[in-house]
């Protein structure tokens, strides 16, 4: 994810966090017990910020932001007062209604008790250019820039006006013996040895580590370093040993009873990694009676489901005990209320979903009114909007501005055929860069890069055209090919124009376009390909410079292999892979160089 996408996601999570806290408070049943009798400790009355009272443990009460009245207290003898709420301006300029404590907890600016978002003017934090250590620049607030290790250039400063320094690069020798060109800081992060600024891999002469045959737990053999063999749980057969002369023992397997109640045949180490119980070498599932998984009702934020206690905890729910069902659990239902949409419509939903729709939440228990009756949501003002083409539409002022129109005022109409509200724009002949001619407005002619001949002018005829034919010449494209085109079209294609009247003809003395410069491109997968710099950038690779190569031997590749580590998948399965693959599969990456052990994935 790039840096800008990261900040947008952080802002969204902030607003959703505040809304979810408000919704979660109202979701608890008044004068009741959360999800049936709590387990694991003494219980008592808990006054929630919404003013409701429920019986729960002290820890659960704190989790919901409530005030615990003491062990063995009941809601019958407890009077709860709802905490006042008001508008809260978030750091990104958005507004949500919540309590003062919740607003401060998430870095917001509380506007006062009873103040609505409609009465608040929340201004976003000032933003400016942020220079990253790699030389990249993006627009962010000072806090956001500092949090990712950037250097803030000042409020309202643009990236175009900032000269972000580009760090020098040089050869980096990795412990594996591979070499690639990068910065000194990046070389250090991958445990490499930086060879100095502007050095090349050709001149670096990185030392090559010893390798040998490694018998992996699966019974297969691979040639690798002793450290790599140990990382994958293998048995190293000695320096310079070969797999062709090595006989690796087949892995011992047996039946494994998983915590979820299933059975599979696997190795003892794999069974232990997944929290299973190994039944012995050579055992089979058909002869083993694995006990069923202990499951029960789990009260989730959006309802109830039957699952194991571990699965319930992962989903952020409250486990009601082994053997419990959703019928007996009495999980609290999500609190809903009226949500006023930007279009003026109204829908019943919770605070979190209302925020996702960019709506205004009217509070838990509010409604949208009777069908055909009045709505609690303000209706947007509309009027006539004169478009640049001369057409007229009825829309809101903001939308009219977005499409470049002129708003005639709230309540205005488009008139009639004989008396239209919008005047028709003047048109004339527009000479295009290609030599063609169209009749258009002056603004549209400018947008397409044409030359406007004046209002009411025409394109003429075939014998007497209004526009002269374009001047063309040879254009050398980035691919090395040659094409006959105009200078502007050549520039748009990234080519080099050779002059008016030049041609791409072949033969003695003819123009020859030089082939494009290429070099080694290190791919995100760890592979290497010879491409141009622009092609390398398009596929997300790292370009090693013009004239660089991918290496000629297996031991001296130009690109380092991708870093791998343990990845905990949602089903508690652990596998060694790259961070990108782990994220794509919804897993949690444990860090480069980590391995799958018994306690890696809880």
């Amino acid at each position: 994810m790039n840096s800008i996408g990261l900040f947008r996601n952080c802002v969204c999570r902030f607003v959703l966090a505040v809304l979810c806290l408000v919704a979660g408070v109202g979701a608890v049943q008044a004068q009741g017990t959360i999800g049936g009798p709590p387990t694991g400790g003494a219980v008592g009355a808990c006054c929630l910020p919404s003013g409701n009272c429920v019986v729960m443990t002290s820890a659960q009460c704190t989790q919901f932001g409530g005030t615990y009245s003491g062990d063995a207290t009941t809601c019958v003898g407890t009077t709860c007062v709802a905490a006042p709420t008001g508008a809260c301006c978030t750091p990104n300029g958005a507004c949500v209604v919540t309590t003062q404590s919740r607003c401060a907890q998430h870095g917001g600016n509380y506007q006062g008790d009873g103040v609505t978002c409609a009465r608040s003017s929340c201004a976003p934090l000032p933003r400016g250019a942020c220079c990253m250590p790699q030389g990249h620049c993006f627009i962010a607030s000072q806090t956001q820039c500092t949090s990712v290790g950037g250097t803030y250039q000042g409020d309202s400063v643009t990236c175009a006006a900032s000269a972000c320094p580009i760090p020098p690069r040089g050869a980096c020798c990795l412990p594996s013996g591979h070499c690639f060109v990068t910065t000194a800081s990046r070389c250090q992060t991958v445990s490499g040895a930086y060879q100095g600024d502007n050095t090349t891999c050709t001149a670096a002469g990185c030392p090559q580590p010893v390798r040998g045959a490694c018998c992996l737990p699966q019974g297969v053999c691979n040639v690798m370093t002793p450290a790599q063999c140990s990382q994958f749980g293998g048995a190293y057969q000695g320096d310079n040993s070969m797999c062709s002369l090595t006989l690796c023992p087949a892995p011992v397997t047996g039946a494994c009873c998983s915590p979820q109640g299933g059975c599979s045949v696997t190795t003892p180490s794999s069974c232990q990694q997944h929290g299973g119980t190994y039944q012995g070498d050579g055992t089979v599932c058909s002869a083993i009676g694995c006990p069923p998984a202990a499951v029960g009702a789990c009260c989730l934020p959006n309802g109830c489901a039957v699952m194991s206690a571990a699965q319930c905890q992962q989903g952020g729910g409250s486990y009601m005990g082994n053997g419990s069902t959703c019928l007996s659990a009495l999980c609290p239902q999500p609190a809903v209320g009226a949500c006023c949409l930007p279009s003026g419509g109204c829908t019943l939903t919770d605070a979190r979903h209302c925020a996702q729709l960019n709506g205004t939440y009217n509070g838990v228990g509010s409604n949208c009114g009777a069908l055909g009756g009045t709505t609690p949501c303000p209706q947007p003002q509309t009027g006539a909007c004169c478009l640049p083409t001369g057409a007229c539409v009825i829309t809101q002022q903001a939308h009219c501005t977005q499409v470049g129109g002129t708003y005639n005022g709230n309540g205005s109409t488009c008139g009639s055929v004989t008396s239209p509200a919008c005047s028709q724009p003047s048109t004339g002949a527009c000479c295009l860069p290609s030599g063609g001619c169209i009749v258009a407005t002056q603004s549209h002619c400018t947008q397409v890069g044409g030359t406007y001949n004046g209002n009411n002018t025409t394109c003429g005829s075939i014998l007497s055209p209004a526009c002269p034919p374009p001047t063309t010449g040879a254009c050398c494209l980035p691919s090395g090919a040659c094409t006959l085109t105009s200078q502007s079209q050549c520039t748009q294609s990234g080519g080099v124009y050779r002059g008016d009247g030049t041609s791409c003809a072949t033969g003695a003395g003819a123009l020859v376009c030089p082939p494009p410069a290429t070099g080694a491109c290190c791919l995100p997968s760890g592979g290497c390909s010879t491409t141009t710099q622009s092609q390398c950038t398009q596929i997300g690779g790292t370009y090693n410079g013009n004239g660089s190569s991918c290496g000629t031997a297996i031991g001296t590749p130009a690109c380092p292999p991708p870093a791998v580590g343990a990845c905990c998948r949602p089903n508690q399965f652990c596998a060694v892979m790259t961070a990108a693959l782990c994220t794509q599969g919804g897993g949690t990456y444990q860090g480069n160089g980590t391995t799958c052990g018994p306690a890696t994935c809880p």
Side-chain angles (χ1 to χ4, degrees):
M1 182 179 293
N2 58 33
S3 300
I4 297 176
L6 173 64
F7 290 130
R8 289 177 177 170
N9 287 337
C10 291
V11 168
C12 292
R13 284 198 294 270
F14 172 86
V15 176
L16 290 178
V18 176
L19 292 172
C20 287
L21 287 169
V22 177
V25 166
V28 184
Q29 295 175 334
Q31 305 296 329
T33 302
I34 286 189
T39 60
V43 297
C46 174
C47 289
L48 299 174
S50 62
N52 293 333
C53 178
V54 293
V55 175
M56 58 175 68
T57 64
S58 175
Q60 289 173 331
C61 185
T62 302
Q63 180 182 355
F64 280 94
T67 302
Y68 193 60
S69 300
D71 296 344
T73 55
T74 64
C75 287
V76 176
T78 302
T79 302
C80 297
V81 179
T85 60
C88 173
C89 292
T90 64
N92 68 313
C95 182
V96 293
V97 176
T98 184
T99 63
Q100 183 175 4
S101 60
R102 295 297 186 193
C103 183
Q105 180 181 353
H106 292 277
N109 185 12
Y110 193 63
Q111 303 298 299
D113 297 342
V115 178
T116 63
C117 284
R119 292 167 48 197
S120 301
S121 299
C122 296
L125 294 175
R127 293 155 60 85
C130 176
C131 290
M132 295 297 290
Q134 299 83 4
H136 305 307
C137 180
F138 66 97
I139 302 299
S141 68
Q142 184 173 4
T143 302
Q144 292 168 336
C145 181
T146 306
S147 66
V148 294
T151 303
Y152 192 61
Q153 303 299 303
D155 298 343
S156 302
V157 177
T158 65
C159 283
S162 299
C164 295
I166 299 176
R169 295 157 58 90
C172 175
C173 292
L174 297 178
S176 61
H178 299 146
C179 177
F180 71 107
V181 177
T182 185
T183 61
S185 58
R186 184 185 174 193
C187 183
Q188 185 178 7
T189 59
V190 294
S191 302
Y194 192 63
Q195 304 301 301
D197 297 343
N198 302 318
T199 55
T200 63
C201 284
T202 304
C206 297
Q208 299 300 306
V210 293
R211 291 179 171 85
C214 174
C215 290
L216 299 174
Q218 298 84 1
V220 297
C221 178
N222 282 332
V223 175
M224 56 183 67
T225 65
Q228 291 172 333
C229 185
S230 176
Q231 177 183 349
F232 289 102
Y236 191 63
Q237 304 300 305
D239 296 344
N240 301 318
S241 57
M242 297 180 294
C243 283
S244 58
L245 302 177
T246 301
L247 181 61
C248 295
V252 178
T253 60
C256 174
C257 293
S258 69
Q260 292 77 24
C263 178
S264 62
V265 175
T266 184
T267 62
S269 60
S270 177
C271 183
Q272 185 180 14
Q273 287 177 6
H274 295 87
T277 303
Y278 192 65
Q279 304 299 308
D281 297 342
T283 55
V284 294
C285 286
S286 58
I288 300 295
C290 293
V295 295
C298 175
C299 291
L300 299 169
N302 59 348
C304 178
V306 175
M307 59 182 66
S308 67
Q311 292 170 332
C312 183
Q313 184 179 9
Q314 288 180 355
S318 298
Y319 192 62
M320 298 294 104
N322 295 338
S324 58
T325 65
C326 286
L327 294 177
S328 62
L330 299 177
C331 295
Q333 297 301 311
V336 296
C339 175
C340 293
L341 304 176
S343 62
C346 181
T347 183
L348 285 177
T349 184
D350 56 27
R352 178 183 61 84
H353 188 238
C354 184
Q356 293 175 348
L357 299 174
N358 294 322
T360 302
Y361 194 59
N362 288 353
V364 177
S366 56
N367 57 67
C368 288
L371 183 63
T374 58
T375 173
C377 301
Q379 298 302 300
Q381 297 287 336
T382 59
C385 174
C386 294
L387 302 177
T389 60
C392 179
V393 294
I394 301 296
T395 184
Q396 300 177 36
Q397 184 174 3
H399 183 258
C400 183
T401 304
Q402 289 176 358
V403 296
T406 302
Y407 193 63
N408 288 353
N410 295 334
S412 57
T413 65
C414 285
S416 62
V417 177
T418 58
S419 180
C422 304
S423 58
Q424 299 301 306
S426 299
T427 58
C430 175
C431 295
L432 302 177
S434 61
C437 180
I438 59 172
V439 175
T441 63
Q442 184 174 2
S443 61
H444 183 257
C445 183
T446 303
Q447 289 176 359
V448 296
T451 302
Y452 193 63
N453 287 355
N455 294 336
N456 302 319
T457 55
T458 65
C459 285
S461 63
I462 297 177
L463 298 179
S464 180
C467 302
T471 303
T472 60
C475 174
C476 291
L477 300 176
S479 62
C482 181
T483 182
L484 198 65
T485 182
S486 65
Q487 183 174 2
S488 61
Q489 291 173 327
C490 182
T491 302
Q492 290 177 0
S493 302
V496 177
Y497 192 64
R498 294 300 188 180
D500 297 341
T502 56
S503 69
C504 293
T506 60
L511 174 68
V512 177
C513 294
T518 60
C521 175
C522 294
L523 305 178
S525 62
C528 181
S529 177
T530 300
T531 67
T532 64
Q533 185 171 5
S534 60
Q535 291 171 334
C536 186
T537 302
Q538 289 176 359
I539 59 179
T542 302
Y543 193 63
N544 284 356
N546 295 337
S548 57
S549 66
C550 286
T552 57
I554 297 178
T556 59
C559 304
V564 296
C567 173
C568 294
R569 306 295 295 274
N571 59 359
Q572 296 182 328
F573 175 76
C574 181
V576 176
M577 60 183 66
T578 63
L581 289 177
C582 184
T583 302
Q584 290 176 4
T588 302
Y589 193 63
Q590 303 300 305
N592 295 339
T594 55
T595 60
C596 289
T600 301
C601 301

